[in-house]
Amino acid sequence: MTHTASSRTLLVVSHPVRGSHTWRVAETLQELLEASGGVVEIADLHAEGFDPTITAEDLLHYAGEAPVPKGIRREHERLERQDAVIMVAPMYWWNVPALLKGWIDRVFTNGWAFGHGQAADSKAQLPFARGGFVLLTSGSVADLDRHGYNASIATLLPYGVLSYCGRPEAPLLYLEESEAELTPEKANHWRASLTGFLSALGVGTEISLTQ
């Protein structure tokens, strides 16, 4: 199917405090997407009370011995109506928060997002055409590079999650010094960075997805 500038984007936000820098970033993304004619849906994982803990039912489904749990099927349905998905979160200990990690663990299921074991022949892949990550770091990209975390995070998230699930073109954006005051200068810089991220993601342009 082909989508134009009215494509649908889901923002998956993992932060408990409205008014935080993370939520300001999500709101800026929403504003930019809607300005281009897009339709935006927000998954507020904290407000929705998503349980990130893997269950026995999840593991039975992974092994092909049980259906998708009902709550996870609802997440699938939400993702299936999107053209793009952007995950927005602060970085905790050089990774995404446990809530977002658990959302990925439970929702990107075997036989739906990827095929493994008994589902290896399913050729399953994520139903949305494009995905990416926007992460807020209290340090700088130079800090990440110096300690080798930039490469490890790129392997862990865009490659290890989205590329593994059939979406290799997955941009990753870091917004630096996220614990400092959000000055007008920083806000403008972040806005420009988010605009570039959306361009790299291809949102607002024609999206072609074959399923």
Side-chain angles (χ1 to χ4, degrees):
M1 55 185 172
T2 300
H3 304 274
T4 56
S6 60
S7 61
R8 300 184 63 93
T9 301
L10 178 69
L11 302 178
V12 182
V13 185
S14 181
H15 197 289
V17 181
R18 289 276 184 160
S20 63
H21 288 356
T22 298
W23 272 103
R24 290 176 182 175
V25 167
E27 290 160 1
T28 301
L29 284 168
Q30 181 177 13
E31 178 188 340
L32 292 170
L33 288 162
E34 290 178 345
S36 70
V39 177
V40 179
E41 188 173 351
I42 294 180
D44 181 346
L45 298 184
H46 282 273
E48 294 175 6
F50 182 82
D51 183 357
T53 307
I54 289 284
T55 67
E57 192 177 6
D58 292 329
L59 295 178
L60 287 171
H61 172 66
Y62 174 83
E65 299 173 7
V68 180
K70 289 182 180 179
I72 302 305
R73 182 58 202 148
R74 287 193 295 271
E75 294 294 322
H76 286 180
E77 290 169 354
R78 174 158 62 178
L79 289 167
E80 286 165 359
R81 60 178 179 260
Q82 311 300 328
D83 300 301
V85 173
I86 302 170
M87 287 162 270
V88 185
M91 288 179 62
Y92 296 157
W93 290 105
W94 314 107
N95 205 333
V96 295
L99 181 56
L100 179 56
K101 176 61 166 61
W103 182 82
I104 294 169
D105 289 344
R106 297 194 65 205
V107 174
F108 288 20
T109 57
N110 191 18
W112 182 81
F114 64 95
H116 179 74
Q118 293 187 15
D121 295 332
S122 68
K123 300 188 184 303
Q125 59 182 12
L126 290 168
F128 48 88
R130 301 184 185 180
F133 292 87
V134 176
L135 303 180
L136 287 80
T137 173
S138 61
S140 67
V141 173
D143 293 333
L144 297 176
D145 284 334
R146 183 166 58 253
H147 297 292
Y149 286 113
N150 195 354
S152 66
I153 293 166
T155 301
L156 177 69
L157 297 175
Y159 180 78
V161 175
L162 292 174
S163 181
Y164 184 76
C165 295
R167 298 293 171 257
E169 301 299 325
L172 167 63
L173 173 65
Y174 299 108
L175 296 176
E176 303 172 295
E177 307 296 339
S178 62
E179 293 182 3
E181 178 186 358
L182 186 60
T183 62
E185 293 77 13
K186 181 190 289 186
N188 288 335
H189 175 68
W190 281 11
R191 187 182 184 89
S193 298
L194 291 168
T195 300
F197 170 85
L198 292 177
S199 178
L201 188 63
V203 175
T205 61
E206 185 176 61
I207 297 175
S208 177
L209 171 62
T210 302
Q211 296 192 65

